[in-house]
Amino acid sequence: MGENESFWESLIYAHPTCVAWKQEAEGSIYHLASILFVVGFMGGSGFFGLMYVFSLLGLGFLCSSVWAWLDICAADIFSWNFVLFVICFIQFIYVTYQVRSVSFEKEFQELYSSLFQPLGISLTVFRKIVLCCDAEVVTLEKEHCYAMQGKTPIDKLSMLVSGRIRVTVDGEFLHYIFPFQFLDSPEWDSLRPTEEGIFQVTLTAETDCRYVAWRRKKLYLLFAKHRFISRLFSILIGSDIADKLYALNDRVHVGKGLRYDIRLPNFYQVAVPGTPKVQPAEQLVSNSRQ
């Protein structure tokens, strides 16, 4: 204990205390460096936040180097500040290169800015998602079908980028799918990774459409490697299914007065209050067990 006390005492009291402080202030370069440090540490996160931080800190260390070289003529202070300036400069170049290397087509840029960027997803994570679909945007012409009821297998997950998709079952209109909504989120959520299934609805393009498609196997491999991306898609798919259910609420009292349990493997028609039931309760229970 005594050795520790003597160490701290020698560290604190070995140097002479300041008796007379300098009356004149340091030069403008020193104060400019301090201002750059203060503003630089206010930077945010992400690529552009890092560019902001490293650029201002680098300028601050450069000003400190100039101040140490010209005003106080201290080689050690100049050396350390210049080394820190070089490190910040290298980091700035590296981050700039990463930003330039992460470039996408117009559709992917719109997808990122509309859906992923508001959630705080970085460009590097989004690049992994884009590479999983081979950075390809598929075109679906007007009145062409993305999926046909009872025929098309569920082997991918797709998101509409532009256009509008009409969803029908047995010729009955259910709802529309708009840009930045999944085309087949209920089908994806209804199947386990090892299960197979077919569409219970028909999806038809009302206009010329463009969409992004991820193959099931590749997407599950991506989920296995990156749990964060798996949780992200789970949230997006759940939110998309909820939006589709809310869209169907507007059709509860429309037409035949039927309410549709949409697009799940077992499709039911449940009559609203005041109308005859389409299926008896026993049949609903037996269908739910299938």
Side-chain angles (χ1 to χ4, degrees):
M1 190 69 179
E3 293 181 356
N4 291 334
E5 291 180 355
S6 61
F7 169 76
W8 287 110
E9 289 177 357
S10 62
L11 184 65
I12 297 173
Y13 301 112
H15 302 281
T17 58
C18 295
V19 179
W21 293 85
K22 292 176 62 175
Q23 297 298 321
E24 66 277 5
E26 294 294 340
S28 58
I29 299 178
Y30 172 81
H31 295 288
L32 176 61
S34 300
I35 293 173
L36 289 172
F37 288 143
V38 171
V39 178
F41 282 116
M42 294 180 180
S45 59
F47 283 110
F48 295 102
L50 291 175
M51 292 173 62
Y52 173 87
V53 170
F54 286 125
S55 61
L56 291 180
L57 291 184
L59 291 175
F61 286 125
L62 180 61
C63 291
S64 296
S65 301
V66 174
W67 166 74
W69 183 267
L70 298 179
D71 289 356
I72 61 174
C73 301
D76 54 346
I77 299 178
F78 167 79
S79 300
W80 278 111
N81 281 277
F82 190 77
V83 169
L84 293 173
F85 160 71
V86 172
I87 293 174
C88 289
F89 179 75
I90 294 174
Q91 287 288 343
F92 178 81
I93 296 299
Y94 174 71
V95 174
T96 304
Y97 172 76
Q98 283 190 314
V99 172
R100 289 180 59 87
S101 63
V102 182
S103 59
F104 309 102
E105 296 181 6
K106 179 182 178 182
E107 288 89 349
F108 287 109
Q109 291 284 3
E110 294 176 353
L111 178 61
Y112 176 74
S113 59
S114 300
L115 188 63
F116 290 91
Q117 189 176 20
L119 298 176
I121 306 304
S122 65
L123 287 173
T124 53
V125 174
F126 183 67
R127 178 170 57 182
K128 293 183 177 67
I129 297 173
V130 172
L131 292 177
C132 184
C133 67
D134 299 325
E136 182 181 0
V137 182
V138 184
T139 300
L140 184 65
E141 297 181 357
K142 182 178 180 180
E143 296 303 328
H144 284 212
C145 290
Y146 170 82
M148 297 186 66
Q149 180 181 352
K151 296 182 179 180
T152 305
I154 304 170
D155 58 356
K156 57 188 175 183
L157 177 66
S158 302
M159 177 172 287
L160 189 64
V161 178
S162 64
R164 186 173 66 177
I165 298 289
R166 181 177 66 254
V167 182
T168 58
V169 59
D170 296 328
E172 185 76 18
F173 171 77
L174 292 182
H175 62 89
Y176 287 115
I177 298 176
F178 298 100
F180 310 119
Q181 291 183 337
F182 287 103
L183 297 178
D184 37 20
S185 54
E187 288 77 14
W188 175 276
D189 192 63
S190 66
L191 296 178
R192 296 179 180 178
T194 56
E195 294 179 341
E196 296 181 356
I198 57 176
F199 278 83
Q200 301 299 311
V201 294
T202 299
L203 279 71
T204 308
E206 282 221 334
T207 63
D208 292 337
C209 300
R210 300 265 288 172
Y211 66 91
V212 178
W214 295 273
R215 292 292 174 181
R216 287 189 71 198
K217 292 183 178 179
K218 292 187 66 174
L219 195 55
Y220 276 123
L221 287 175
L222 181 67
F223 291 167
K225 293 179 181 178
H226 305 282
R227 300 299 300 171
F228 172 75
I229 297 179
S230 175
R231 292 192 295 269
L232 170 65
F233 268 79
S234 178
I235 294 172
L236 292 176
I237 290 172
S239 176
D240 188 81
I241 293 175
D243 291 339
K244 289 178 171 60
L245 288 172
Y246 279 119
L248 280 178
N249 287 341
D250 297 334
R251 294 185 51 77
V252 171
H253 300 284
V254 175
K256 300 178 182 179
L258 300 179
R259 181 173 183 174
Y260 297 99
D261 186 6
I262 61 164
R263 307 175 59 188
L264 298 175
N266 300 317
F267 174 76
Y268 311 135
Q269 293 178 330
V270 182
V272 298
T275 60
K277 293 185 178 179
V278 177
Q279 292 181 320
E282 295 81 7
Q283 188 172 355
L284 289 177
V285 172
S286 62
N287 285 342
S288 64
R289 293 175 179 174
Q290 294 179 358

